[in-house]
Amino acid sequence: MLVLAANLLDGFAAVLTPQNLLLAALGVTLGTLVGVLPGIGPALTIALLLPITFNFEDPVGAFILFAGIYAGGMYGGSTTSILLNTPGESASVATAIEGFEMARRGRGRAALATAAIGSFVAGTIGIVALTLVADPVASLAVKFRAEDYFALTLLAFASVTALTSSSLVRGFASLCVGLLIGFVGIDQLTGQSRLTFSVDQLGNGVDIVIVAVGLFAVGEALHMAAKLRSRPDELVPTEPGGSWLSKQDLRRSWKPWVRGAGIGFPFGALPAGGAEVPTFLSYATEKKLAPDREWGEGAIEGVAGPEAANNASFSGTLVPLLTLGIPTSATAAIMLAAFQIFNLQPGPELFETNSELVWTLIASLYVGNIMLLALNLPLIRVWVKVLEIPRALLYAGILVFGTLGVYSLSGSVVEVLVMYAIGVMGFFMRRFDFPIAPVILGVILGPLMETQARRALTASGDDFSVFFSRPLTVILLILAVAAFVIPHLPALKKRLAFGEDD
C-alpha cells in the first residue's frame, strides 16, 4: 500500500507543474468544445484531437492533455443528450431519456449540473478503484503466455462484436473488415507484402489514426449530411433554464451517483463490459428504487445514475487497457492508438518499464476530473451557444480538421485518400447498421492476435494442442464462447419457441 501511495504521489508531482496544469485545462476545454457538438461522442472527439499529440516529444504532457480531452468529451456528450436529445454515443442514450425532458420543462441547468457533478463523483470513485486494482492485475498478467494472449484477444473480439450489434453477421463482418485493414503492410516474420496493392505508402500498414478519423469523423460527417439532405435540421437547442441544484435535487442525486459508480466500474473492467449495459442498468435500478418519481417527465435520478455509471465505466475500461493492453470499447481503442504514437504498448511490461508514465496518467485523470468541474459548470451557457452552429458548417469543419490532422502525420496524399476511402466505408456501415467498434478492435488487436498465435505455434513446434494445454487458456476460450453466445440466447429462445408453436 505504501508503494502504491508513493507511485501515485510521484504521478501527482509530475502533473502538478504550471505547464502540465495548463495542458490539463486546455485538454478539458478542447474536449468539451468538440464533444458538445451534436452527434459527436468521446471516441470521435479523441480521434479528431489525436493529431495534436504528435508535436509532443515527451509522452507525459501528451497524456495529460489526452486525459483532459477525454473528460471534456464525456461531459460534452451529456450536454448534447440533455439539451438536444442527440446522444453522441450509445452510452449517452439513457441520460437523454430524462435529461431532455428536464430541459424541456425549464430544468436544463439542474440536469447539466447533476450530470457534471455525477461525472466527477463517479469518475473519482472509479479512478480510486483503478488505482487500487491496476498494479495487482498487472502483476497477474505477467504470468500470461503467448497462447493466453491469443485466447484473450478472441475473448475481446467475441464480447465486443456480440454486444455492439443485434446481428451476428453484421458484427463479424465489421470485425473481418478491421482484421483485413490490420493485416495490410509487410509481414514482420517473412518480410512479404500483404494487401498493399503495390502502393509503397501502405508498406508500414494503415495507421490507426487514419482508420479512426476516417470511420468516426468522415463517416459520421457523410452520414449526417445524408440525413440532413432528406430531413432538414429542425433541432433547436433548449436553453438551460432554471436554477442550479437545489437541496432537494442534491438529496435525490447523491445516492444515484454512488450507485451508478458501483454499477459502472465493474462492468467497464470486464472484457465484455462497455458503458451501454451499466447505464441502462443504472436507469432501471433507480426506476425500481423510486417508482413514485416523475419518470418519463424529467426525473433527476434518471440523469444522475446513468451519467455516473457512464463515467465510472471508463475508469473500469482502463483496467484491461493498461494491464493487458486490451481495449474493450471504441474509445479505449483510440486511447491505445495514443500509446502507439509514442511506441508504447500497454500491458504488464508497461508497469515495469514505464511505471512513471502509468501513474502520471492515473494522476492526470484526477486532475482532469477536477478541471472538468471547475471550468465547465460556469461555462454552460458558452457551450450552449456552440450548439447553435449550423450543422452544414459544423460537419464541413470536421472534414477539414480531420483532413489536416491526417495530412500532418506524414504529408502523404495517399494516406488522406485512404482515410476518405475508409470514411466512405464508414458511411455505408452506418447506413446499413453495421457496428463501428469491431472494425477499430480488429485493426488494433488483429496483428497482436496473429503475432501471439504464431509465437505460440513456433514454441510448440506447430502443435495446435498448445491452445488447450493450460487451464488459463481454456478458461479464456470458454469465456469467449460464452460472450459470443449469451447475448443472443433470448433471440434463439424466441425463435425456438416460435418454431414449436408452428
Side-chain angles (χ1 to χ4, degrees):
M1 202 68 182
L2 290 175
V3 174
L4 185 117
N7 287 333
L8 191 59
L9 286 174
D10 288 341
F12 276 113
V15 174
L16 297 177
T17 63
Q19 178 183 346
N20 288 339
L21 287 174
L22 186 63
L23 284 172
L26 179 65
V28 168
T29 307
L30 279 175
T32 308
L33 179 63
V34 178
V36 79
L37 299 173
I40 297 177
L44 174 52
T45 303
I46 294 169
L48 275 174
L49 299 177
L50 196 58
I52 293 174
T53 60
F54 297 155
N55 299 319
F56 286 83
E57 293 180 4
D58 180 17
V60 171
F63 279 105
I64 290 171
L65 178 70
F66 205 60
I69 287 172
Y70 177 78
M74 286 287 287
Y75 180 69
S78 67
T79 304
T80 57
S81 296
I82 291 168
L83 297 182
L84 274 182
N85 198 24
T86 309
E89 58 171 357
S90 54
S92 299
V93 173
T95 302
I97 296 171
E98 300 296 332
F100 185 62
E101 292 300 323
M102 286 183 70
R104 285 182 60 193
R105 287 163 172 73
R107 301 201 63 221
R109 191 177 291 182
L112 290 169
T114 194
I117 298 170
S119 294
F120 171 76
V121 171
T124 303
I125 293 172
I127 297 163
V128 169
L130 170 66
T131 305
L132 295 173
V133 305
D135 213 21
V137 175
S139 300
L140 177 66
V142 173
K143 300 173 182 176
F144 273 43
R145 295 183 184 175
E147 54 269 30
D148 301 327
Y149 272 108
F150 170 76
L152 191 63
T153 56
L154 284 183
L155 173 58
F157 286 151
S159 57
V160 173
T161 302
L163 287 172
T164 53
S165 176
S166 57
S167 166
L168 274 177
V169 175
R170 289 193 179 104
F172 275 95
S174 295
L175 178 62
C176 289
V177 169
L179 290 172
L180 281 174
I181 296 173
F183 291 148
V184 170
I186 295 174
D187 189 330
Q188 298 297 318
L189 292 179
T190 65
Q192 295 290 319
S193 294
R194 299 189 301 190
L195 304 173
T196 59
F197 304 102
S198 301
V199 178
D200 293 339
Q201 286 87 345
L202 294 179
N204 292 325
V206 181
D207 195 290
I208 182 61
V209 177
I210 296 172
V211 180
V213 175
L215 279 177
F216 287 98
V218 179
E220 182 68 22
L222 294 175
H223 181 59
M224 291 305 297
K227 268 189 172 180
L228 292 176
R229 187 175 179 180
S230 60
R231 186 186 63 198
D233 186 13
E234 297 175 351
L235 284 174
V236 178
T238 309
E239 282 295 322
S243 61
W244 295 108
L245 288 179
S246 63
K247 288 183 178 179
Q248 183 185 6
D249 289 334
L250 278 172
R251 279 198 301 271
R252 290 177 58 178
S253 295
W254 75 268
K255 287 181 180 178
W257 289 338
V258 176
R259 280 193 292 263
I263 293 170
F265 181 82
F267 268 92
L270 293 171
E276 295 84 0
V277 175
T279 51
F280 279 101
L281 184 59
S282 172
Y283 182 82
T285 301
E286 298 308 323
K287 199 170 181 179
K288 188 175 182 180
L289 290 174
D292 56 333
R293 302 296 188 195
E294 61 276 24
W295 296 102
E297 299 178 0
I300 197 168
E301 294 89 346
V303 178
E307 197 57 30
N310 187 13
N311 211 285
S313 72
F314 171 70
S315 301
T317 299
L318 288 179
V319 175
L321 178 67
L322 291 176
T323 59
L324 300 171
I326 301 293
T328 56
S329 67
T331 308
I334 306 296
M335 288 196 70
L336 182 56
F339 280 94
Q340 293 177 347
I341 288 171
F342 295 99
N343 294 319
L344 296 170
Q345 178 59 46
E349 293 178 2
L350 188 68
F351 280 77
E352 297 175 2
T353 58
N354 283 285
S355 64
E356 181 184 348
L357 176 63
V358 174
W359 291 106
T360 301
L361 174 60
I362 292 174
S364 68
L365 292 172
Y366 285 99
V367 174
N369 227 15
I370 295 169
M371 289 276 184
L372 169 73
L373 202 62
L375 290 177
N376 282 333
L377 278 179
L379 294 176
I380 281 176
R381 287 195 176 275
V382 175
W383 305 131
V384 174
K385 292 296 179 187
V386 175
L387 292 172
E388 296 174 6
I389 298 173
R391 297 290 182 95
L393 292 177
L394 165 63
Y395 288 103
I398 287 174
L399 288 177
V400 171
F401 196 84
T403 303
L404 291 175
V406 168
Y407 187 74
S408 69
L409 281 173
S410 59
S412 170
V413 177
V414 172
E415 291 190 346
V416 174
L417 294 175
V418 170
M419 176 198 73
Y420 273 96
I422 292 172
V424 171
M425 181 187 72
F427 162 71
F428 283 108
M429 289 179 71
R430 285 173 171 82
R431 191 73 178 266
F432 296 105
D433 199 26
F434 282 78
I436 301 297
V439 179
I440 294 288
L441 204 66
V443 173
I444 290 183
L445 291 186
L448 174 65
M449 180 187 71
E450 181 195 20
T451 301
Q452 299 297 348
R454 291 168 80 171
R455 188 177 293 170
L457 288 171
T458 302
S460 65
D462 292 333
D463 182 5
F464 280 89
S465 66
V466 70
F467 297 112
F468 307 98
S469 59
R470 276 167 54 85
L472 179 59
T473 313
V474 173
I475 290 170
L476 290 171
L477 290 173
I478 291 171
L479 288 174
V481 173
F484 170 74
V485 172
I486 289 172
H488 298 279
L489 279 179
L492 288 172
K493 283 183 179 178
K494 281 185 180 178
R495 189 171 295 179
L496 289 171
F498 182 75
E500 287 175 2
D501 292 340
D502 290 345

